[in-house]
Amino acid sequence: MRSFLYLLPALSATVWGAEPAPLPEAPWLEEALQRSRSIMACLSQDRSLVLPVLEFLGKPEPVENSAGDQAPAEFEPPTEGESVVQSDGGILFDADHRLVAYLDNVRVQDPRLQLRASQLLVVEFRKQELTNAQEGVQRRVQGESEPVARIDAPAETPSGQPGAQAAEIVPTEAVAQFAFVSAERNQIYLQSSERIDLKRGETELHVEPKDGSAALLADEAGNITVTGGKISMSWVDKEGRLGSLLAEGTLYYHGAEHCVTSRGEVQMRTADGSLRCTESLCVFLTPEEGQEAPRDGFMSRLLGTRLDGVRHAVARGDVQLTMQGTGKRGTVDARGQELVYRAEPGTVELRRNCSLCYAGESTVFADDSICLQPNGDVLLQGDVVHGSYVRPGKEGQQASPGSFRAAGPLVFTAADGCIRAERGIYLKDASGTFRCLGAAVLTLRPGAQKVPPRSEVGNLNLALLGYGDPVRLHAEQEVQADYADPQSGDTGCLRGEELAADLEAGTLRVRSLPGKAAVAAFRGARAEAVSDAAESVIDCAQSGDVRLTGDRITLRMPQEQGESVFTCTESAVLTRSDRTFVGGPLSELHAPQAIVTSRGKITLLLAEGEVKPASSQHEAVAANFNYIGVESVATDEGCTARTARGSMQCEGKLRMTLNPRPAKDDEWGGLMTLRAEERVAVAGRSGDGRLLRGTGDLLVADAASGTKRLSGRRVTLSDGNNTHVASGAGAAVVLDNKNNARVFGAVQQTVSTRIHEQIEKNKQKKEQ
């Protein structure tokens, strides 16, 4: 007995650990915990009042059973408002302090509480209750080997009035080494160097001591404090599914706030998933009906609470929330240094180096915070925001992974399916890349996949998963977009200071600042516009029309024989309905078939290739640009031109038709017809290599017949040695396919120069 008594004061030093930081969501917690400490210390002190007496009395001798070998009497179970206490080691009444101490294997039977204290139970009575307890023992002690106390009290009812009809009471079962019950203060205190066990219905609480003793305090306000060990709690939710909570440190339940807080490492599991944290967990519960004024014992507020009715929760320290995947949905994994859940309005917020992952495929990370709204909106904050996604494949094609990064805030709004970035965004997947340094709005295609029901993902609204690829874009500041179709091999790019595109409709607007080019490239074709002092713009309409505005404009188109390049100033317009491209002034065309330069505008008739449907939403604009070269060239303001057959210039109209796909042995190099007017000058070589020059008012060339006809009021043809001049009616020079010339005209004149040199050359040829 002596060794046991000396052990009691040491066990009262419950392990509380270092003073933790306050919790903003529970400003009352520090004061409440301090109050719990004071109460525990006070109760321990009250309990210590009986120790000197117990030590003085020593362990009592066993009482002879007056009934011989007759077994101890069985006690009827307690009735409403009645408590029965049994012990193996005796009872001590301390009238001065209104204390009753029960020793060794103490059992308390009460409609509200069934308690086992293996070593000591101290009960603090009101004065009248102590007298009743003494009388009850005196009435029943004869003929019994176990000391018994029966304590009668009026039964509580839901209205708090004695005698009213009572509902069924579920008792709390408790097991500990030491217990102190204060009827005066309506408090219960359990302490043990061994495990403390509590059970109420299907809810259980166990405390395994660590580094000393564990303790549990339930006070008159329904507050519960558990400290000094490893805490485990289990329950069954409304649907009959098991849940559990594991904690190490301090667990506190605030009755008025219906709040459970735990300091230290915590792990909470439900049938839907789990929550882990290393610093603290604070859960505000939704009380069930009738829980505001509990009538069935000290532990009913905590052990009677349904933990699935959470209205507000905060977890801190390496938080990990996992919602288990099923056949209907993928696993949701959320991590951060802090998690905040609010049932009203229904938000989930992760803070500090946080991430969210769905089905191991779609992930987001933010170094500041991730906030999920009940309407499906998502807000990512921080200087570093990045993640991954999966682009759904078309029929027969596999899905392809992608990634993104941005500087927050990055916002997804479920109502319109838009992703908004204020400080730039970068996207990359198998289809290409997209980036900008300023504000961006990406509108996603709806209905890409089914959104998992909120009831299956921890009440999270993952509306983002119901959207697919971007269909509309608006971005600012150094915008770059590149794509490469893996099936067709087609490529494209967009460059500018601002980009607005509807990828389904095929509309596009690219704007650039002075000194920088606006670029749009589709399937090998490339359009550029740049200005020195003003903005440059490329506009693509849904009809396929394209308008370019800038000081210098360039259009490049691939052809089988090489690239066609058109340049001009001020503006250029492509009209898809008639396949014309008009640009100028100061326009120039470099094509494999011809080179044409004009001081004014040039009109090109573009050759249309095979119409390819867009293989992805990125190619909607490209589907409208399926040109493979130039079919004709026209200008009304004079030009110079050069082809495989020669060169020319005129001051009037030019009409030239070209073969966009000429044969390799085409002597005319793809030139089909040519018509030039007003002060025409031509140059070419004859069949023997002589340089021929001609002038006139009209030049007509036809590759089919192989002839070129130069006509006018005065027509000249010279080969460096002779100059033929024809004038009058019908004046003309006709050259065949080998540039052999025939001169027509009412008046003809030939002027020969270097005649002696020609005679000598002819003699030398004959002699050879």
Side-chain angles (χ1 to χ4, degrees):
M1 185 67 179
R2 181 176 296 273
S3 61
F4 155 66
L5 292 174
Y6 279 112
L7 186 62
L8 286 177
L11 289 174
S12 66
T14 306
V15 177
W16 284 86
E19 194 71 26
L23 301 181
E25 64 276 3
W28 38 260
L29 180 60
E30 301 311 312
E31 182 179 349
L33 290 176
Q34 185 59 44
R35 182 175 182 273
S36 295
R37 291 187 184 97
S38 300
I39 293 175
M40 287 182 179
C42 181
L43 293 178
S44 297
Q45 183 178 2
D46 289 347
R47 183 189 64 185
S48 65
L49 294 175
V50 303
L51 299 185
V53 181
L54 291 174
E55 183 178 6
F56 173 76
L57 295 176
K59 189 176 180 67
E61 297 294 331
V63 179
E64 293 282 341
N65 191 343
S66 60
D69 295 331
Q70 183 178 357
E74 294 291 337
F75 299 100
E76 66 274 14
T79 60
E80 179 82 14
E82 186 180 54
S83 300
V84 176
V85 183
Q86 305 175 58
S87 66
D88 295 346
I91 304 175
L92 171 66
F93 289 91
D94 183 347
D96 291 338
H97 299 99
R98 301 195 306 278
L99 299 177
V100 179
Y102 302 86
L103 303 177
D104 294 342
N105 192 23
V106 184
R107 289 95 64 202
V108 177
Q109 293 180 308
D110 183 274
R112 299 166 298 175
L113 177 66
Q114 296 180 5
L115 171 65
R116 277 189 162 295
S118 63
Q119 297 187 14
L120 176 67
L121 166 65
V122 179
V123 180
E124 180 187 37
F125 287 95
R126 300 181 183 92
K127 185 174 182 179
Q128 182 60 40
E129 291 175 343
L130 179 61
T131 303
N132 294 340
Q134 291 173 320
E135 293 174 353
V137 171
Q138 292 171 357
R139 288 195 303 267
R140 302 181 59 90
V141 73
Q142 293 182 353
E144 301 174 358
S145 60
E146 296 180 337
V148 177
R150 183 181 298 273
I151 305 168
D152 296 323
E156 292 186 14
T157 64
S159 62
Q161 300 297 326
Q165 183 66 33
E168 180 182 359
I169 295 177
V170 180
T172 297
E173 302 174 24
V175 178
Q177 278 184 300
F178 310 101
F180 190 104
V181 178
S182 174
E184 177 73 22
R185 287 169 283 189
N186 197 23
Q187 297 167 347
I188 183 170
Y189 176 48
L190 305 178
Q191 186 176 356
S192 181
S193 61
E194 300 174 356
R195 196 172 84 165
I196 299 176
D197 298 318
L198 293 101
K199 181 179 180 181
R200 182 179 187 271
E202 295 179 312
T203 302
E204 297 184 14
L205 176 66
H206 306 283
V207 187
E208 193 75 39
K210 181 180 179 182
D211 300 330
S213 65
L216 182 146
L217 171 68
D219 65 20
E220 70 282 0
N223 304 320
I224 312 292
T225 305
V226 184
T227 187
K230 295 182 179 179
I231 305 165
S232 63
M233 186 175 180
S234 62
W235 65 89
V236 176
D237 66 15
K238 294 179 181 179
E239 299 179 1
R241 301 177 301 175
L242 182 65
S244 66
L245 183 145
L246 301 177
E248 185 169 341
T250 301
L251 180 72
Y252 183 81
Y253 176 75
H254 194 290
E257 296 286 342
H258 302 283
C259 175
V260 178
T261 62
S262 179
R263 310 300 274 274
E265 187 171 348
V266 184
Q267 177 178 337
M268 185 174 177
R269 291 183 178 274
T270 67
D272 290 323
S274 65
L275 172 66
R276 297 171 180 262
C277 60
T278 59
E279 294 180 6
S280 65
L281 174 65
C282 185
V283 180
F284 292 84
L285 304 169
T286 302
E288 292 190 336
E289 185 177 354
Q291 200 175 347
E292 293 293 341
R295 55 177 300 275
D296 50 356
F298 294 99
M299 305 302 297
S300 63
R301 284 185 182 269
L302 176 63
L303 298 184
T305 301
R306 295 277 191 181
L307 292 187
D308 48 347
V310 177
R311 57 187 171 91
H312 183 198
V314 180
R316 289 187 174 89
D318 296 329
V319 182
Q320 180 179 359
L321 172 66
T322 302
M323 306 306 299
Q324 298 297 333
T326 66
K328 298 180 180 180
R329 59 171 169 83
T331 299
V332 177
D333 185 274
R335 305 190 182 200
Q337 292 304 306
E338 184 175 339
L339 181 145
V340 179
Y341 167 74
R342 293 181 177 87
E344 185 64 40
T347 59
V348 177
E349 184 176 4
L350 297 163
R351 298 173 180 170
R352 303 197 312 275
N353 295 327
C354 45
S355 64
L356 182 67
C357 176
Y358 179 77
E361 297 176 341
S362 301
T363 64
V364 293
F365 171 88
D367 63 349
D368 188 355
S369 65
I370 299 174
C371 185
L372 305 177
Q373 298 289 343
N375 61 355
D377 293 356
V378 182
L379 171 62
L380 286 77
Q381 293 271 23
D383 293 329
V384 179
V385 175
H386 61 78
S388 63
Y389 57 91
V390 175
R391 181 187 297 279
K394 287 195 171 186
E395 296 182 3
Q397 300 178 6
Q398 293 184 346
S400 59
S403 63
F404 73 91
R405 67 173 182 265
L410 186 66
V411 181
F412 168 77
T413 51
D416 53 9
C418 288
I419 296 176
R420 293 175 171 85
E422 293 184 6
R423 297 191 291 162
I425 189 171
Y426 175 82
L427 302 168
K428 182 179 180 181
D429 54 41
S431 297
T433 61
F434 173 83
R435 57 148 277 185
C436 70
L437 300 182
V441 179
L442 286 73
T443 304
L444 306 181
R445 184 193 307 276
Q449 54 182 309
K450 186 178 179 181
V451 178
R454 295 181 61 178
S455 60
E456 297 181 0
V457 286
N459 207 33
L460 303 178
N461 188 342
L462 301 180
L464 176 61
L465 300 175
Y467 290 87
D469 300 328
V471 292
R472 286 183 294 278
L473 306 172
H474 185 273
E476 299 176 353
Q477 194 174 348
E478 297 187 24
V479 183
Q480 296 182 12
D482 298 271
Y483 75 86
D485 189 276
Q487 277 71 43
S488 65
D490 293 327
T491 62
C493 73
L494 301 171
R495 300 284 189 274
E497 184 65 16
E498 181 183 7
L499 167 66
D502 187 327
L503 302 177
E504 284 188 320
T507 60
L508 172 71
R509 178 180 174 86
V510 181
R511 179 183 63 85
S512 69
L513 297 177
K516 296 185 178 181
V519 179
F522 316 110
R523 291 178 174 172
R526 182 182 180 94
E528 297 183 13
V530 62
S531 297
D532 295 327
E535 295 181 343
S536 303
V537 178
I538 300 176
D539 273 313
C540 299
Q542 186 173 3
S543 61
D545 295 352
V546 180
R547 175 180 290 275
L548 296 91
T549 305
D551 292 346
R552 296 178 297 281
I553 296 170
T554 303
L555 174 65
R556 299 175 182 272
M557 291 180 293
Q559 291 187 235
E560 294 181 1
Q561 294 73 26
E563 184 180 55
S564 292
V565 180
F566 178 82
T567 60
C568 67
T569 61
E570 294 186 9
S571 68
V573 178
L574 167 66
T575 305
R576 181 169 175 78
S577 59
D578 56 13
R579 297 183 288 127
T580 59
F581 188 83
V582 181
L586 300 179
S587 49
E588 183 173 347
L589 171 68
H590 283 253
Q593 305 94 325
I595 298 175
V596 180
T597 303
S598 174
R599 297 184 302 273
K601 294 184 177 181
I602 290 181
T603 300
L604 306 180
L605 179 64
L606 303 182
E608 196 171 33
E610 178 184 0
V611 177
K612 296 181 180 181
S615 58
S616 68
Q617 71 275 14
H618 291 295
E619 289 210 304
V621 178
N624 289 333
F625 204 92
N626 58 321
Y627 304 108
I628 59 171
V630 180
E631 282 190 4
S632 70
V633 183
T635 181
D636 294 339
E637 302 177 57
C639 69
T640 62
R642 186 172 65 191
T643 68
R645 302 299 294 177
S647 59
M648 57 78 59
Q649 67 178 32
C650 67
E651 296 183 2
K653 296 181 179 181
L654 170 72
R655 301 292 184 268
M656 179 187 297
T657 60
L658 305 173
N659 183 355
R661 293 177 175 175
K664 292 183 179 180
D665 57 353
D666 187 348
E667 295 182 355
W668 286 60
L671 176 63
M672 299 176 64
T673 63
L674 182 145
R675 180 183 177 90
E677 302 178 5
E678 295 184 27
R679 302 186 65 177
V680 179
V682 298
R685 294 193 177 276
S686 63
D688 58 3
R690 291 176 298 146
L691 178 63
L692 301 179
R693 300 177 183 273
T695 61
D697 297 323
L698 174 65
L699 173 64
V700 178
D702 184 5
S705 61
T707 61
K708 298 175 283 295
R709 180 182 179 88
L710 182 62
S711 60
R713 292 169 295 175
R714 184 175 186 276
V715 179
T716 65
L717 177 65
S718 64
D719 60 1
N721 296 320
N722 303 294
T723 300
H724 304 280
V725 180
S727 58
V733 174
V734 179
L735 292 87
D736 61 16
N737 199 38
K738 295 183 180 181
N739 277 347
N740 295 317
R742 187 174 179 184
V743 181
F744 299 90
V747 179
Q748 298 186 29
Q749 179 182 2
T750 300
V751 178
S752 297
T753 59
R754 296 182 294 180
I755 187 68
H756 298 290
E757 293 181 10
Q758 295 182 53
I759 294 174
E760 290 297 325
K761 288 181 180 179
N762 290 333
K763 288 182 178 181
Q764 292 176 3
K765 289 181 180 180
K766 290 180 180 180
E767 292 176 355
Q768 293 175 356

